[in-house]
Amino acid sequence: MEEIRVELEERSYGIFIGSGILGSIGGKFRKYEFSPKAALVSNPTVYGLYGEAVVDSLRNEGYEVTVILIPDGEEYKDFLWAYHILSRLLKAGLDRKSAVLALGGGVIGDITGFVASTYMRGIAYMQLPTTLLAQVDSSVGGKTGVNHYLGKNMIGTFYQPRLVWIDVDTLKSLPKREFLAGMAEVIKYGVIWDREFFDYLVTERERILSLDPGCLTHIIGRSCEIKADVVSRDEREEGLRAILNYGHTVGHAVETVTGYRRYLHGEAVAIGMVCEAEISEALGIFDRAEAAEIKSLIESYGLPSTAGDALEADSMLKAMALDKKAVAGTLRFVLPEEIGKVRIESGVNEDVIRGVIGD
Ligand SMILES: NC(=O)c1ccc[n+]([C@@H]2O[C@H](COP(=O)([O-])OP(=O)(O)OC[C@H]3O[C@@H](n4cnc5c(N)ncnc54)[C@H](O)[C@@H]3O)[C@@H](O)[C@H]2O)c1
């Protein structure tokens, strides 16, 4: 089992990654001396696959576990379902020393973290992520939240988990398309931080795609390490943390313009990473051959590198300006300077963006 630390002084925590570790969460949980009443939040899909192993493990350690399921889907990551979970916690009698566990993908992790941050002014929560995206991204770093009908993730908090417990075996049941979408975020870490890791993703592609547990532990571990490093230096996204948004300025606009239906988040980020590399190239910041390497790696993982004719420049620019990451309407891009190093650039000329996105 690999352990990675997120260093945030008194809020520091460990990320544990291994194969077949889900059923041993109880022993780990015991070390925290929480109240005997705990809750597990999940959805029927994930709970049906892994719920019993987790609940049995906690019950074997003497915990009384309330299971709270919400329907499966992004549309349920909202205030009403958060309210529902809060009500269940109150009815079950969880107290300020209780802990909540999130078992599932980013939707479950985000809403559970949000609930934990507000229940009795904040109780402990643990992440047991079961999608690749959640394992390498959403479960680490403490961004929690729910959607509002006026915008995604518009309501939320920064609230760190006590522990992240990643069992790579859960990826065996994940639909292939979801796995590949998670790979977009993994590739992102290589581009923004680590050339050697990028090369590993090129050379070990087949083993990764065959879900070799050693390879998975390595790529998830390295991704978490990079995210942990960035978050430790800038927890609240006042500076450095913004580099994690590489591919996301264009990616979010792609999701908006296509009504969140055509692409999974990671797929839109893949398109965004290629566009933003090309913007960097057009500005003379980034080498053409390296931009081509990014595109080729993305395509080699079966991810889209372009949205074809789906993107119309005016709508894309409008969507980018409305993004919550735009500050006072100024667009900010994370642009590669070389693979493994990026910079944040504001005020990129609109014509350059149009030139890359096309009309
Ligand atoms: N907090 C953050 O920093 C952060 C970062 C990125 C994304 N997010 C959020 O994450 C969410 C997306 O997360 P996601 O991509 O994990 O989607 P998701 O949680 O909707 O999971 C995708 C699908 O896979 C299913 N599933 C999960 N694990 C499975 C498994 N092991 N086997 C079979 N099926 C499984 C789920 O039930 C769901 O149907 C979005 O709401 C996004 O806003 C948050």
Side-chain angles (χ1 to χ4, degrees):
M1 183 154 50
E2 253 200 64
E3 180 184 352
I4 289 150
R5 294 287 303 167
V6 182
E7 296 295 348
L8 290 165
E9 292 166 1
E10 74 285 357
R11 284 167 296 112
S12 300
Y13 56 96
I15 304 167
F16 294 83
I17 308 157
S19 163
I21 65 170
L22 209 53
S24 45
I25 182 67
K28 190 76 189 169
F29 193 83
R30 165 144 299 286
K31 300 206 164 77
Y32 290 77
E33 300 181 352
F34 297 126
S35 296
K37 285 185 179 178
L40 176 78
V41 180
S42 191
N43 69 32
T45 315
V46 179
Y47 189 78
L49 290 162
Y50 305 110
E52 207 177 287
V54 175
V55 171
D56 284 354
S57 165
L58 293 164
R59 288 188 179 146
N60 287 342
E61 294 291 332
Y63 291 94
E64 188 185 319
V65 187
T66 299
V67 174
I68 305 170
L69 302 185
I70 66 169
D72 187 357
E74 180 74 38
E75 64 272 38
Y76 304 102
K77 193 180 104 176
D78 73 0
F79 221 89
L80 288 176
W81 283 99
Y83 189 80
H84 167 80
I85 299 170
L86 286 164
S87 307
R88 292 283 315 273
L89 297 181
L90 284 167
K91 284 180 191 159
L94 270 78
D95 62 37
R96 294 176 62 189
K97 295 258 180 284
S98 297
V100 187
L101 298 99
L103 176 70
V107 165
I108 293 296
D110 278 12
I111 194 169
T112 306
F114 178 68
V115 161
S117 72
T118 52
Y119 184 76
M120 298 191 173
R121 301 202 172 84
I123 59 168
Y125 80 112
M126 292 187 170
Q127 295 273 19
L128 280 60
T130 60
T131 64
L132 182 59
L133 180 124
Q135 295 175 348
V136 299
D137 189 3
S138 63
S139 69
V140 175
K143 280 190 187 178
T144 84
V146 292
N147 301 323
H148 189 277
Y149 77 94
L150 291 173
K152 266 199 82 194
N153 294 323
M154 284 294 164
I155 299 159
T157 53
F158 281 101
Y159 195 65
Q160 301 294 339
R162 287 296 178 83
L163 170 82
V164 183
W165 193 253
I166 301 174
D167 188 336
V168 299
D169 291 359
T170 57
L171 298 177
K172 288 184 191 150
S173 58
L174 188 69
K176 183 92 178 170
R177 188 175 170 199
E178 296 282 353
F179 177 81
L180 296 177
M183 279 308 299
E185 300 286 354
V186 175
I187 293 170
K188 177 191 80 179
Y189 291 115
V191 178
I192 64 169
W193 204 258
D194 186 348
R195 170 83 213 200
E196 211 177 293
F197 185 48
F198 183 94
D199 292 339
Y200 180 90
L201 301 175
V202 175
T203 54
E204 299 301 325
R205 189 181 140 271
E206 274 183 30
R207 281 174 69 207
I208 294 169
L209 289 175
S210 68
L211 307 185
D212 176 273
C215 268
L216 291 178
T217 303
H218 176 67
I219 63 167
I220 295 165
R222 185 65 191 128
S223 300
C224 288
E225 220 165 54
I226 295 170
K227 183 153 186 188
D229 201 355
V230 172
V231 168
S232 299
R233 296 185 208 197
D234 175 23
E235 185 182 9
R236 290 181 171 252
E237 201 166 316
E238 281 149 0
L240 180 73
R241 188 167 177 164
I243 69 169
L244 298 172
N245 297 327
Y246 170 55
H248 287 63
T249 304
V250 172
H252 282 152
V254 168
E255 288 181 289
T256 307
V257 167
T258 54
Y260 288 93
R261 278 184 299 274
R262 180 159 161 177
Y263 298 108
L264 295 176
H265 175 70
E267 294 169 344
V269 169
I271 295 169
M273 288 195 288
V274 173
C275 280
E276 292 174 18
E278 286 171 359
I279 290 172
S280 195
E281 183 195 327
L283 291 169
I285 295 170
F286 192 40
D287 186 68
R288 170 177 296 219
E290 286 195 291
E293 273 186 77
I294 295 177
K295 186 168 187 229
S296 144
L297 182 60
I298 283 172
E299 288 172 348
S300 78
Y301 277 92
L303 287 161
S305 57
T306 160
D309 56 4
L311 307 183
E312 191 261 323
D314 281 336
S315 327
M316 284 289 290
L317 282 162
K318 199 170 148 210
M320 284 186 232
L322 289 177
D323 193 298
K324 74 173 180 313
K325 294 194 171 68
V327 179
T330 307
L331 286 181
R332 286 200 306 168
F333 285 96
V334 180
L335 300 179
E337 294 179 341
E338 56 192 68
I339 291 175
K341 187 161 182 270
V342 288
R343 69 158 90 150
I344 296 169
E345 196 79 20
S346 317
V348 175
N349 188 303
E350 207 181 287
D351 292 339
V352 175
I353 305 170
R354 282 181 190 280
V356 168
I357 293 169
D359 245 313

